[in-house]
Amino acid sequence: MLRYNPYFRKKQWILWLIIIIGIILYIFNFIDKNIRPTVLTLSEIKARAITTETINKSVKKKIGKDINYNDLIFVRYGTDGKVALMQANTILMNNIAAEVALEVQKELTDISASKIEVPLKNVFDTQILRLPSIKLTIVPQGAVSVDFATEFKQSGINQTRHRIYLVINTSIRMIVPLISDDIEITTNIPIAETIIVGDVPEQYIELPKEEDAIEIVD
């Protein structure tokens, strides 16, 4: 007749507990090394796409096609008919930058109230299994800065294309289950351009100074 051995039962229970803990640690390690980086990468791609689309939408909403190159840049000609000086309209540029920054901030705050889905089938690279989606949250980190940049590019014989860009910098926090990451996003959006005939002067433009760059903090 077999006798009940409490010591053996206790050892068996401890062994099963060790096995279960080992399996849990293995699963967490597997997720951390194989799934987490992929989830983070796909989520970042999605977050950048959504944020960039929001920025472009905000600029289009605030500016549209109402910006005229001649409103932004005053072109002065010399007695020989050549361009002698190109000077930026800093007051108008600062107003545009302020309005765009406020609109971007508002739009980013609006999208942060909704959840964005990232399909898990993309994580496992499968089209066969029906897998759920993970929820991605985009949280503005409190600052949108807007500045201007210009580009001069040769365009034909004795012609130069002058293009003016809005440079919009923003930071967001991307949050998915068990993971979060801060992302800096810079978007360059052309808003006006013209063709300059003749030589471009060396002293050609004076943009708003760096310390005057617009930064909106929530």
Side-chain angles (χ1 to χ4, degrees), residues 7 10-11 25 27-28 38 44 55 61 80 84 87 104 112 139-141 143 146 159 161 176 193 203 210 216-217:
Y7 179 71
K10 184 178 181 180
K11 285 181 65 177
L25 290 175
I27 291 173
F28 270 101
T38 307
E44 182 174 336
I55 290 172
K61 184 176 179 181
D80 55 359
Q87 185 174 10
V104 170
S112 69
V139 181
Q141 285 299 285
V146 180
Q159 292 182 344
R161 182 185 301 275
V176 294
E193 67 175 47
Q203 301 290 332
E210 186 176 350
I216 303 298
V217 178

Side-chain angles (χ1 to χ4, degrees), residues 113-138:
S114 60
K115 300 286 185 180
I116 300 162
E117 293 189 350
V118 179
L120 275 177
K121 66 181 181 180
N122 294 341
V123 175
F124 292 97
D125 194 22
T126 178
Q127 301 296 325
I128 300 174
L129 297 176
R130 294 179 62 86
L131 297 172
S133 298
I134 58 174
K135 301 293 185 180
L136 166 65
T137 303
I138 295 174

